[in-house]
């Protein structure tokens, strides 16, 4: 599991460095094994989706308050007031 987490971070262009927290040599060796793990684009996308942070207030509130007519007019992903 640790190898997948580290491999996912290694696949991110925005990650400049990764700090591994190992208190045993076996843990360090396991973490370093992530270098050999190659995640597919769909695996990375799935991990991105399940780890995405929730929308913060007021964004979630605005999204819930826009009615279907205005979503249709302004686009389904747009919830800003007009």
């Amino acid at each position: 599991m640790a190898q997948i987490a580290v491999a996912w971070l290694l696949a991110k262009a925005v990650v400049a460095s990764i700090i591994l927290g190992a208190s045993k040599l076996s843990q360090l060796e396991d973490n370093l094994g992530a270098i050999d793990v190659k995640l597919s684009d769909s695996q990375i996308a799935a991990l991105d989706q399940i780890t995405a942070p929730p929308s913060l207030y007021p964004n979630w509130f605005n999204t819930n308050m826009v009615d279907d007519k205005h979503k249709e007019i302004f686009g389904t992903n747009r919830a800003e007031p007009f």
Side-chain angles (χ1 to χ4, degrees), residues 1-4 6 20 22 24-35 37:
M1 196 65 118
Q3 289 182 0
I4 293 171
V6 174
L20 302 175
K24 299 176 185 173
L25 181 58
S26 61
Q27 292 171 333
L28 178 62
E29 290 170 342
D30 185 40
N31 287 336
L32 293 176
I35 295 170
V37 175

mmCIF file of all heavy atoms in Angstrom, residues 1-4 6 20 22 24-35 37:
data_model
loop_
_atom_site.group_PDB
_atom_site.id
_atom_site.type_symbol
_atom_site.label_atom_id
_atom_site.label_comp_id
_atom_site.label_asym_id
_atom_site.label_seq_id
_atom_site.Cartn_x
_atom_site.Cartn_y
_atom_site.Cartn_z
ATOM 1 N N MET A 1 0.819 -1.183 0.000
ATOM 2 C CA MET A 1 0.000 0.000 0.000
ATOM 3 C C MET A 1 0.871 1.258 0.000
ATOM 4 O O MET A 1 0.546 2.215 -0.685
ATOM 5 C CB MET A 1 -0.916 -0.042 1.219
ATOM 6 C CG MET A 1 -2.043 0.919 1.131
ATOM 7 S SD MET A 1 -3.189 0.554 -0.171
ATOM 8 C CE MET A 1 -4.633 0.276 0.738
ATOM 9 N N ALA A 2 1.941 1.238 0.764
ATOM 10 C CA ALA A 2 2.823 2.404 0.814
ATOM 11 C C ALA A 2 3.459 2.660 -0.545
ATOM 12 O O ALA A 2 3.617 3.813 -0.946
ATOM 13 C CB ALA A 2 3.900 2.205 1.880
ATOM 14 N N GLN A 3 3.771 1.597 -1.261
ATOM 15 C CA GLN A 3 4.387 1.771 -2.579
ATOM 16 C C GLN A 3 3.427 2.463 -3.544
ATOM 17 O O GLN A 3 3.841 3.298 -4.341
ATOM 18 C CB GLN A 3 4.822 0.424 -3.147
ATOM 19 C CG GLN A 3 6.013 -0.168 -2.428
ATOM 20 C CD GLN A 3 6.460 -1.472 -3.045
ATOM 21 O OE1 GLN A 3 5.890 -1.951 -4.026
ATOM 22 N NE2 GLN A 3 7.490 -2.062 -2.475
ATOM 23 N N ILE A 4 2.157 2.135 -3.461
ATOM 24 C CA ILE A 4 1.171 2.772 -4.338
ATOM 25 C C ILE A 4 1.056 4.255 -4.013
ATOM 26 O O ILE A 4 1.018 5.103 -4.909
ATOM 27 C CB ILE A 4 -0.194 2.073 -4.219
ATOM 28 C CG1 ILE A 4 -0.092 0.650 -4.776
ATOM 29 C CG2 ILE A 4 -1.280 2.851 -4.945
ATOM 30 C CD1 ILE A 4 -1.296 -0.202 -4.519
ATOM 31 N N VAL A 6 3.310 6.226 -2.622
ATOM 32 C CA VAL A 6 4.526 6.933 -3.036
ATOM 33 C C VAL A 6 4.594 7.014 -4.567
ATOM 34 O O VAL A 6 4.950 8.057 -5.125
ATOM 35 C CB VAL A 6 5.781 6.255 -2.447
ATOM 36 C CG1 VAL A 6 7.056 6.891 -2.987
ATOM 37 C CG2 VAL A 6 5.759 6.329 -0.920
ATOM 38 N N LEU A 20 9.903 10.379 3.202
ATOM 39 C CA LEU A 20 9.494 9.054 3.646
ATOM 40 C C LEU A 20 9.694 8.950 5.152
ATOM 41 O O LEU A 20 10.744 9.318 5.668
ATOM 42 C CB LEU A 20 10.324 7.975 2.940
ATOM 43 C CG LEU A 20 10.254 7.980 1.410
ATOM 44 C CD1 LEU A 20 11.204 6.945 0.834
ATOM 45 C CD2 LEU A 20 8.839 7.734 0.943
ATOM 46 N N ALA A 22 10.147 6.345 7.807
ATOM 47 C CA ALA A 22 10.385 4.934 8.112
ATOM 48 C C ALA A 22 11.199 4.831 9.395
ATOM 49 O O ALA A 22 12.190 5.525 9.567
ATOM 50 C CB ALA A 22 11.136 4.279 6.964
ATOM 51 N N LYS A 24 12.000 1.632 10.455
ATOM 52 C CA LYS A 24 12.684 0.349 10.293
ATOM 53 C C LYS A 24 13.232 0.253 8.881
ATOM 54 O O LYS A 24 12.674 0.829 7.939
ATOM 55 C CB LYS A 24 11.718 -0.808 10.533
ATOM 56 C CG LYS A 24 11.120 -0.833 11.910
ATOM 57 C CD LYS A 24 10.101 -1.956 12.025
ATOM 58 C CE LYS A 24 9.419 -1.878 13.379
ATOM 59 N NZ LYS A 24 8.313 -2.828 13.474
ATOM 60 N N LEU A 25 14.299 -0.485 8.719
ATOM 61 C CA LEU A 25 14.903 -0.663 7.408
ATOM 62 C C LEU A 25 13.909 -1.300 6.438
ATOM 63 O O LEU A 25 13.846 -0.914 5.268
ATOM 64 C CB LEU A 25 16.172 -1.509 7.505
ATOM 65 C CG LEU A 25 16.923 -1.746 6.204
ATOM 66 C CD1 LEU A 25 17.332 -0.419 5.565
ATOM 67 C CD2 LEU A 25 18.128 -2.634 6.438
ATOM 68 N N SER A 26 13.108 -2.227 6.905
ATOM 69 C CA SER A 26 12.128 -2.890 6.029
ATOM 70 C C SER A 26 11.100 -1.890 5.489
ATOM 71 O O SER A 26 10.665 -2.000 4.342
ATOM 72 C CB SER A 26 11.428 -4.024 6.768
ATOM 73 O OG SER A 26 10.717 -3.536 7.893
ATOM 74 N N GLN A 27 10.718 -0.914 6.309
ATOM 75 C CA GLN A 27 9.775 0.113 5.859
ATOM 76 C C GLN A 27 10.407 0.990 4.786
ATOM 77 O O GLN A 27 9.765 1.338 3.792
ATOM 78 C CB GLN A 27 9.324 0.973 7.036
ATOM 79 C CG GLN A 27 8.473 0.230 8.036
ATOM 80 C CD GLN A 27 8.221 1.041 9.290
ATOM 81 O OE1 GLN A 27 9.015 1.904 9.660
ATOM 82 N NE2 GLN A 27 7.098 0.773 9.953
ATOM 83 N N LEU A 28 11.669 1.350 4.986
ATOM 84 C CA LEU A 28 12.370 2.163 3.988
ATOM 85 C C LEU A 28 12.494 1.412 2.677
ATOM 86 O O LEU A 28 12.251 1.976 1.603
ATOM 87 C CB LEU A 28 13.751 2.572 4.519
ATOM 88 C CG LEU A 28 14.612 3.379 3.553
ATOM 89 C CD1 LEU A 28 13.942 4.701 3.215
ATOM 90 C CD2 LEU A 28 15.992 3.599 4.137
ATOM 91 N N GLU A 29 12.860 0.133 2.757
ATOM 92 C CA GLU A 29 12.989 -0.681 1.540
ATOM 93 C C GLU A 29 11.640 -0.792 0.825
ATOM 94 O O GLU A 29 11.577 -0.722 -0.401
ATOM 95 C CB GLU A 29 13.531 -2.057 1.890
ATOM 96 C CG GLU A 29 14.985 -2.021 2.324
ATOM 97 C CD GLU A 29 15.477 -3.343 2.903
ATOM 98 O OE1 GLU A 29 14.616 -4.187 3.288
ATOM 99 O OE2 GLU A 29 16.693 -3.525 2.979
ATOM 100 N N ASP A 30 10.566 -0.956 1.591
ATOM 101 C CA ASP A 30 9.232 -1.027 1.002
ATOM 102 C C ASP A 30 8.882 0.285 0.311
ATOM 103 O O ASP A 30 8.388 0.296 -0.824
ATOM 104 C CB ASP A 30 8.206 -1.353 2.080
ATOM 105 C CG ASP A 30 6.813 -1.560 1.514
ATOM 106 O OD1 ASP A 30 6.681 -2.186 0.438
ATOM 107 O OD2 ASP A 30 5.843 -1.096 2.142
ATOM 108 N N ASN A 31 9.132 1.409 0.963
ATOM 109 C CA ASN A 31 8.851 2.718 0.363
ATOM 110 C C ASN A 31 9.667 2.939 -0.904
ATOM 111 O O ASN A 31 9.150 3.445 -1.904
ATOM 112 C CB ASN A 31 9.149 3.834 1.359
ATOM 113 C CG ASN A 31 8.121 3.926 2.459
ATOM 114 O OD1 ASN A 31 6.988 3.503 2.316
ATOM 115 N ND2 ASN A 31 8.523 4.486 3.592
ATOM 116 N N LEU A 32 10.928 2.560 -0.876
ATOM 117 C CA LEU A 32 11.786 2.757 -2.047
ATOM 118 C C LEU A 32 11.383 1.851 -3.206
ATOM 119 O O LEU A 32 11.694 2.144 -4.359
ATOM 120 C CB LEU A 32 13.249 2.536 -1.672
ATOM 121 C CG LEU A 32 13.838 3.571 -0.706
ATOM 122 C CD1 LEU A 32 15.269 3.200 -0.335
ATOM 123 C CD2 LEU A 32 13.774 4.967 -1.286
ATOM 124 N N GLY A 33 10.665 0.774 -2.908
ATOM 125 C CA GLY A 33 10.163 -0.100 -3.962
ATOM 126 C C GLY A 33 9.154 0.587 -4.866
ATOM 127 O O GLY A 33 8.842 0.084 -5.947
ATOM 128 N N ALA A 34 8.662 1.723 -4.460
ATOM 129 C CA ALA A 34 7.704 2.484 -5.273
ATOM 130 C C ALA A 34 8.318 2.941 -6.588
ATOM 131 O O ALA A 34 7.590 3.221 -7.545
ATOM 132 C CB ALA A 34 7.191 3.688 -4.497
ATOM 133 N N ILE A 35 9.622 2.992 -6.649
ATOM 134 C CA ILE A 35 10.288 3.400 -7.893
ATOM 135 C C ILE A 35 9.943 2.434 -9.019
ATOM 136 O O ILE A 35 9.834 2.824 -10.181
ATOM 137 C CB ILE A 35 11.817 3.484 -7.679
ATOM 138 C CG1 ILE A 35 12.128 4.596 -6.686
ATOM 139 C CG2 ILE A 35 12.556 3.685 -8.984
ATOM 140 C CD1 ILE A 35 13.555 4.619 -6.208
ATOM 141 N N VAL A 37 7.080 0.746 -9.263
ATOM 142 C CA VAL A 37 5.635 0.689 -9.484
ATOM 143 C C VAL A 37 5.253 1.722 -10.541
ATOM 144 O O VAL A 37 5.560 2.900 -10.409
ATOM 145 C CB VAL A 37 4.861 0.959 -8.170
ATOM 146 C CG1 VAL A 37 3.368 1.016 -8.427
ATOM 147 C CG2 VAL A 37 5.202 -0.088 -7.128
#
